Each structure stands twice: as structure tokens, then as C-alpha cells.
Amino acid sequence: MKTRTLIGLSSLCAAIAAPLSCSESKAAPHEEALQAGTSEWGADDEIGAANRLDPDLVRDAAKLVTTGKSYSLGIEVNNRTPAYGHRTFQVFMTQPENPAGKGIGTKGLTYNDEMIEGWMGVGTQLNGLGHIGIENVYYNGHKEQDILTIHGVKKLGLEKLPPLVTRGVLLDMAAHLGTEMVREGTAFGAADLETVARKQGVTLRKGDIVILHTGWLDLMGKDDKRFLQGCPGINREAARLLAGKGIVAVGADTWAVEVVPGEPGAGTFEVNQTLIAKNGIYVLENIRTAELARDKAYEFLFVLGHPKYTGTTQAIINPVALR
């Protein structure tokens, strides 16, 4: 299988030119240490921000469906899909009961069975609350030594997560900056998100799933090395804004959602830590946003029924937008 590597995070800044930024953000000289958050839904909570989903949100979001058009937000996945670090993916096709090419029974039944060898963090993916922690502590105070086993996590597994059905909001950051593709290292701050939402005539609300369009996914299959070495994305300030709005999930057409290289003073994937471990917010990566952006589909019904593999913290997904 083809091996792919991601340049070390410590060398990203040296590998990529000084990042652009919509809103300059400087790290405070004495920031408080980042800690995993405690759930507002109690000590037994394992689904975090998904608790905000309710029938009223679904009914309201369904009213956005006026044209009947559906959008597949997932990308095709195969053994050439660029992925972070060690991750690979391979399908193996077999005909277990008719290897000689002869059919089974009197009517010559033949069938194909496939096996998958790969990682769940490839392609369009859902990152759950057991995926990202802070010093081995995960959302709602779950300690790694208490939940982690070779066969999966005993708490915060994605099998606990209900279907994600709610209003989706697309923020077209590429259009905001007047470009087809936003450059790597471009950080989106709170003011940037609010400005784009206002320009598009949408308001970010509790229970939303917010997705950013940057054009970065266009690099996939054309320049995979550059695709994996960095990306535009939200900074820590924007993550705090989204958490304060009470959203359920945030996604983008990038592999990290947050800006890479990170802003000065930021820790390794600190935005993901803030969203997932601190606030129980789900992260959606490598979302196909181009068609939504082209149609100016800024509000839509978002639907995701993910695979419920017990004890998993990530899933390869194909969300659907309806409008």
C-alpha cells in the first residue's frame, strides 16, 4: 500500500510562508491552561453539544427545503485519498465461496464481498468526543486510563451519538476574500465569521451545524503534498465564538477545520481541543462545499446518519444537505 506522510507540525512554519490572516490574533501573554470541559447535561453525558438537537430544530430546518435539491457533502474515498500522518485506506475484493469462478447452486449464484483495511480518519469524516483530549483527559472529565481499550473507547463512542439533523449554515470564506481558494495559514477570527454571516443574511443560532467553504478541497488529487501541509481555518477566538453560540458541530472543506500553521502561541490542534474536549462540539472535515457555495445555499437541512461502530471516535461519512 502506498505510504503517505504529513510534514511534522514543528516544521510547518518553516515549510510554509508566513500565513495571511483576515483578523490578526495575538496570543495573550498569560493564558489559562486549557482543560477538558464539564458537561452542562450532567456527569453521565457522553454526547455533548448533540444534546441541543430536538424535534423543534428538525421541524424548523425542514422548512428550508423548498427546491428539493440534495447535495452530497462527502468525498470519494480510496487508496489514493490523502490523509493525515499514518492514515491509509484500502478495499480488498473477494469471492469467498466461488474462487474458481463457478457459481453456487443450480442457478449459478455469484457474489462479491469486500474487506476494508484502513483508518476512520480518511476522507470526509466525523470527529467525536473521544477523539481529541487534553493531557489524556477527554470531554466531561473522562480519563484515558478509564475509557481506552484496544477494542475502542468505553465512553464517548460514536455509537452513542444520535443522527445529526438540524439547520446547516454555510459561510463562504472564499467569496468573502474574493478568491477561488483561500491560502494556507489564513486564520478566520470571530469578526470574520460574523461579517460573512451578516453579508449572507444568516444568523448563527443554537443547534446549528456551521460549515466553512474555502476552496481548499480543490487541491486534493492535484497537489496532495500542499493539501496536507497546511490549510486555512478558524482560530481560537472563532472557536470560542462558535461555542458561545451553542452550535452542535463545525466543519470545513479542509482536513483540520482550524488554521494550519496555527496562530502565534497556539498549541498543537488547540482549536480542535477547544471545540471537542472543552465544549463537546463535533468536528467535520473534508466536507464537499463547492456546490453549496456555487448555489449560494447558505441555509439548508443538514442530515447525517453515521455508522455506529461500537467504541469508535471517528467515522467516514457522507452528510447530505437539502434545500
Side-chain angles (χ1 to χ4, degrees), residues 61-76:
K63 296 174 184 176
L64 298 170
V65 182
T66 58
T67 70
K69 184 171 182 177
S70 62
Y71 300 78
S72 169
L73 305 183
I75 67 170
E76 183 178 342

Side-chain angles (χ1 to χ4, degrees), residues 204-219:
L204 303 184
R205 300 196 298 252
K206 182 179 178 181
D208 284 345
I209 290 178
V210 178
I211 300 173
L212 279 63
H213 171 69
T214 70
W216 193 251
L217 198 61
D218 289 345
L219 283 175

Side-chain angles (χ1 to χ4, degrees), residues 45-103:
D45 175 44
E46 296 186 53
I47 63 171
N51 282 288
R52 299 189 176 110
L53 300 173
D54 61 34
D56 289 337
L57 286 175
V58 177
R59 284 192 292 267
D60 288 344
K63 296 174 184 176
L64 298 170
V65 182
T66 58
T67 70
K69 184 171 182 177
S70 62
Y71 300 78
S72 169
L73 305 183
I75 67 170
E76 183 178 342
V77 178
N78 53 52
N79 63 356
R80 298 177 302 278
T81 304
Y84 174 78
H86 52 272
R87 298 174 188 166
T88 57
F89 184 91
Q90 179 69 58
V91 173
F92 296 96
M93 188 60 67
T94 67
Q95 289 188 328
E97 294 187 71
N98 51 317
K102 290 187 176 182

Side-chain angles (χ1 to χ4, degrees), residues 21-28 31 187-189 235-238 240 263-265:
S21 177
C22 294
S23 296
E24 291 296 329
S25 179
K26 296 182 179 179
E31 293 185 358
F188 308 130
N235 64 13
R236 293 173 293 176
E237 176 192 60
R240 291 190 289 266
E263 61 190 323

